[in-house]
Amino acid sequence: MTLKNFSELIDRVKSGPKKTVVLVCADDEHALEAVIKAGDIVNAVLVGNASSIAEKLRGLNQNPADFKIVQVAEGQHPAVTAAKLIHSGEADFLMKGRISTGELLKGVLSDESQLRKYGLMSHVSIQEVPGYHKLIFLTDSGMCINPGIEQKKQILINVLDFMRRLGYKKPAVAALCAIETVNPNMPETIEAQELKNMVDAGVIGDCDFEGPISYDVAMVPEAARIKGFDSPNSGNFDVLLVPNLLSGNLLGKSLVYTLKGKMAGLILGAKVPIVLTSRSSTSEEKYNSLAIAASVATGD
């Protein structure tokens, strides 16, 4: 299965049972606006300071009585309160509210939350780009600054597990570098080759992996032909695995702000997806992020 665009994804979410997001530290106007707008695809549980959440809802012309609000117990981390709701079956996935990313992840990774799945959490940006025939999964462009080979291995495992939940059987992965050959002066090319060896050896999940490979060769079959790079997936990759956060951040923002692409963003590596969007993110980006999280929130 391949998702062509967000509209296709949203239709799929609407056709299934409605999932529930738990908004951690929900006294945040931007996050509340997002879950309110997404009421057609998700239910919401609001965790945090109950009186402050109610005040924010009234400021948005909402009746607090229409929402499930859960007060965090004294001394308990808000993410732990949210995790208990997930374990009890009252919620399916998390969204960041008025809490720093580091503090949220600290709670998610605590023993008390029981949400830890892998040792490393990573970010995936899902991009709908004009001119490309399907969604692109860009990772990691939001969390791991300069990942080494073991971190890149886990980033790849995280995104493949995520895509399996979406219904992808064997995603095509491009480990992006500046060139298509291994150069000892360019560590990312060495690591791309090592990852390819791991995939070929069955150490990492099932995927069609190419690397090192440049962006033009990955995305444009004619560029691959000119450069003599033989890959059946040129122009048809699902995942773009970037060498570091800087390159991923620049590429992702270029696709959105220059090419007018649409995007969604999630944190992977816990037992449930975590929606984490910037306060400056568009309402459409937040809606898309909630939709794609709902589509993979199985809880297993």
Side-chain angles (χ1 to χ4, degrees):
M1 187 217 72
T2 300
L3 288 168
K4 297 181 179 65
N5 49 51
F6 284 117
S7 294
E8 185 178 291
L9 168 73
I10 291 165
D11 287 343
R12 193 174 87 173
V13 172
K14 288 181 176 180
S15 68
K18 188 181 282 192
K19 299 292 178 66
T20 299
V21 58
V22 52
L23 181 57
V24 184
C25 295
D27 55 331
D28 181 277
E29 290 182 9
H30 297 275
L32 284 172
E33 287 174 340
V35 297
I36 291 167
K37 180 177 179 179
D40 60 332
I41 56 172
V42 295
N43 296 317
V45 179
L46 311 178
V47 165
N49 182 297
S51 61
S52 181
I53 294 170
E55 180 182 350
K56 295 290 185 183
L57 285 169
R58 285 190 286 268
L60 294 170
N61 298 316
Q62 301 292 316
N63 182 356
D66 294 336
F67 297 83
K68 181 173 182 177
I69 301 174
V70 177
Q71 173 70 43
V72 176
E74 185 175 352
Q76 187 172 78
H77 195 288
V80 172
T81 304
K84 291 181 181 296
L85 292 167
I86 287 172
H87 295 312
S88 67
E90 297 173 77
D92 300 292
F93 64 100
L94 301 178
M95 181 175 183
K96 174 183 175 292
R98 197 178 184 85
I99 184 173
S100 71
T101 301
E103 187 60 27
L104 173 65
L105 298 183
K106 178 182 176 182
V108 169
L109 292 173
S110 69
D111 292 337
E112 192 176 1
S113 79
Q114 298 181 42
L115 288 178
R116 180 189 291 270
K117 183 172 184 179
Y118 300 124
L120 180 75
M121 302 183 77
S122 57
H123 184 268
V124 62
S125 172
I126 302 95
Q127 306 271 351
E128 180 185 323
V129 182
Y132 200 67
H133 60 289
K134 58 182 175 179
L135 293 179
I136 297 170
F137 298 79
L138 178 65
T139 191
D140 178 336
S141 58
M143 285 195 66
C144 301
I145 299 174
N146 282 304
I149 184 63
E150 287 302 317
Q151 288 179 306
K152 287 181 179 177
K153 173 185 173 183
Q154 190 59 61
I155 289 168
L156 184 53
I157 289 172
N158 286 352
V159 76
L160 291 178
D161 177 63
F162 166 67
M163 296 183 75
R164 175 186 61 80
R165 292 169 181 251
L166 278 173
Y168 286 73
K169 300 299 183 183
K170 194 172 185 178
V173 180
L176 296 183
C177 298
I179 57 177
E180 297 81 40
T181 56
V182 175
N183 185 323
N185 295 316
M186 303 174 77
E188 65 275 9
T189 65
I190 299 172
E191 292 171 349
Q193 182 62 59
E194 290 178 357
L195 287 170
K196 183 172 177 58
N197 292 339
M198 290 182 193
V199 170
D200 291 344
V203 176
I204 299 176
D206 197 17
C207 65
D208 283 328
F209 189 96
E210 291 283 5
I213 185 171
S214 61
Y215 180 82
D216 56 337
V217 169
M219 302 299 285
V220 183
E222 180 64 9
R225 187 191 66 78
I226 292 171
K227 289 188 174 183
F229 191 96
D230 183 20
S231 171
N233 290 311
S234 181
N236 195 43
F237 281 101
D238 300 292
V239 180
L240 301 181
L241 179 69
V242 295
N244 52 42
L245 186 147
L246 174 61
S247 58
N249 185 274
L250 293 174
L251 175 56
K253 288 181 177 177
S254 296
L255 295 176
V256 171
Y257 293 106
T258 304
L259 293 183
K260 306 302 181 184
K262 301 176 183 179
M263 73 161 289
L266 298 178
I267 293 177
L268 310 176
K271 291 181 179 178
V272 296
I274 301 171
V275 175
L276 188 152
T277 58
S278 167
R279 294 172 70 87
S280 64
S281 299
T282 65
S283 59
E284 183 178 35
E285 179 181 333
K286 293 170 183 174
Y287 185 93
N288 291 340
S289 298
L290 284 162
I292 202 159
S295 70
V296 298
T298 61
D300 60 3

